[in-house]
Amino acid sequence: MIYTPYIITTIGRSGSSLLCETLAKTGVMGEPLEYFNKGFPNGHPRINGTPHTLGYFFQIAEQTASSNGVFGFKTSWESFTNGFLPLLGDFRLLKLIRPFMFHLSRRDLVGQTISLHRSITTKVWAVKDDVQVDQHKKYAYDLKALEDTAERIFRLEQQWFGFYQRYGVRPEYLWYENIASHVEAVVDGMTRTVTGGIAEFDTVTKQRVMRDELTQEIRERLIAESTKLPRLVSRWEDFLQRRSNYVG
């Protein structure tokens, strides 16, 4: 079988879980998961193979590809640079593998900041039952930590952009806001890019909304109290504009 790889690069709280769940439902886009997450030092439980070797990459292909040979994975910056790229030995080999590259971002830096810091502190990354709903509400507001989180998100996006520029890669940019409003349309576009065909779904993916009244309260307080955030948001908007003008 000839394999066709794709990679979704992203930062936390950008809608990647919903996106990947929907991609898997098409039956033609593999089972994209975070196979190189450092939280799985012995390899992802979905894969029967040897981690930290180039063979692990091919084992992902063999065990998760759709019948058309398409397979993919999502990755954070840390997992990409510390988990995936070291397997290649030389970063330039990425151009020989020639995966389709997608980068998932969130336009709303403040919203992503709140969502990421809240999930980190409450350890709730998806709301599936009342217990998780209650746990997600046990959030302690921390101005400095929120500002640090916003700066970290910005820094990671700059690192992704720097990598793409350095190796002459132009990914297809995806947006959390589009996934949240109509994930099937985003997946259909990705499917057309990778396979040339359309995406079909047996079931419609339901959006798991984690925003609540507390989210809005945190946002209003953060905007009112932070002296760093206005400048950071201005720089963020300039960065997104500059990135959109980039031609790899």
Side-chain angles (χ1 to χ4, degrees):
M1 177 182 291
I2 298 176
Y3 293 107
T4 303
Y6 68 93
I7 303 174
I8 302 170
T9 59
T10 189
I11 298 170
R13 312 316 292 167
S14 295
S16 63
S17 294
L18 177 62
L19 176 64
C20 290
E21 287 176 14
T22 311
L23 284 165
K25 289 182 179 180
T26 65
V28 295
M29 291 291 283
E31 300 175 41
L33 295 173
E34 203 167 356
Y35 296 116
F36 296 94
N37 190 314
K38 61 183 179 181
F40 303 114
N42 297 317
H44 194 280
R46 170 66 179 80
I47 305 302
N48 179 23
T50 305
H52 317 305
T53 66
L54 186 58
Y56 184 70
F57 178 66
F58 293 103
Q59 287 157 353
I60 292 172
E62 293 170 353
Q63 296 174 39
T64 71
S66 303
S67 59
N68 58 0
V70 173
F71 75 101
F73 64 90
K74 70 172 182 175
T75 179
S76 66
W77 174 254
E78 294 88 347
S79 297
F80 190 68
T81 55
N82 297 326
F84 174 64
L85 288 181
L87 300 186
L88 302 183
D90 188 323
F91 289 1
R92 291 172 297 179
L93 288 179
L94 187 67
K95 297 182 104 175
L96 295 180
I97 298 174
R98 299 183 67 184
F100 288 92
M101 300 292 294
F102 299 92
H103 185 74
L104 176 55
S105 296
R106 188 165 175 167
R107 289 189 175 93
D108 181 7
L109 177 62
V110 177
Q112 185 174 7
T113 295
I114 295 169
S115 181
L116 181 57
H117 185 253
R118 193 174 173 187
S119 288
I120 290 173
T121 56
T122 64
K123 296 181 172 55
V124 176
W125 296 90
V127 173
K128 299 179 180 180
D129 54 44
D130 292 340
V131 173
Q132 290 175 319
V133 170
D134 292 339
Q135 181 65 27
H136 196 50
K137 292 179 179 179
K138 297 176 181 178
Y139 172 78
Y141 178 87
D142 186 329
L143 175 59
K144 184 180 185 305
L146 285 164
E147 290 176 333
D148 290 346
T149 300
E151 290 177 338
R152 178 172 178 267
I153 291 170
F154 194 0
R155 183 172 62 255
L156 288 171
E157 284 287 7
Q158 290 176 312
Q159 288 175 317
W160 275 124
F161 184 48
F163 171 82
Y164 285 132
Q165 285 185 306
R166 186 162 58 252
Y167 291 99
V169 177
R170 181 172 173 80
E172 181 175 326
Y173 286 106
L174 310 173
W175 297 99
Y176 163 87
E177 287 78 4
N178 295 336
I179 291 170
S181 63
H182 196 175
V183 65
E184 283 81 8
V186 176
V187 166
D188 184 64
M190 293 176 68
T191 304
R192 291 172 186 271
T193 296
V194 176
T195 72
I198 61 174
E200 297 182 356
F201 307 92
D202 293 330
T203 59
V204 177
T205 304
K206 294 183 179 180
Q207 169 69 25
R208 298 187 299 265
V209 178
M210 295 182 68
R211 291 186 302 274
D212 54 18
E213 292 181 359
L214 180 57
T215 303
Q216 185 60 29
E217 292 174 9
I218 298 168
R219 187 184 188 97
E220 292 173 357
R221 183 176 176 183
L222 176 60
I223 291 174
E225 295 181 359
S226 177
T227 57
K228 292 183 178 180
L229 199 59
R231 294 192 298 273
L232 188 61
V233 169
S234 178
R235 289 172 52 213
W236 171 254
E237 292 172 350
D238 290 343
F239 166 74
L240 291 183
Q241 181 59 49
R242 179 165 58 91
R243 194 181 71 175
S244 69
N245 296 331
Y246 166 69
V247 177

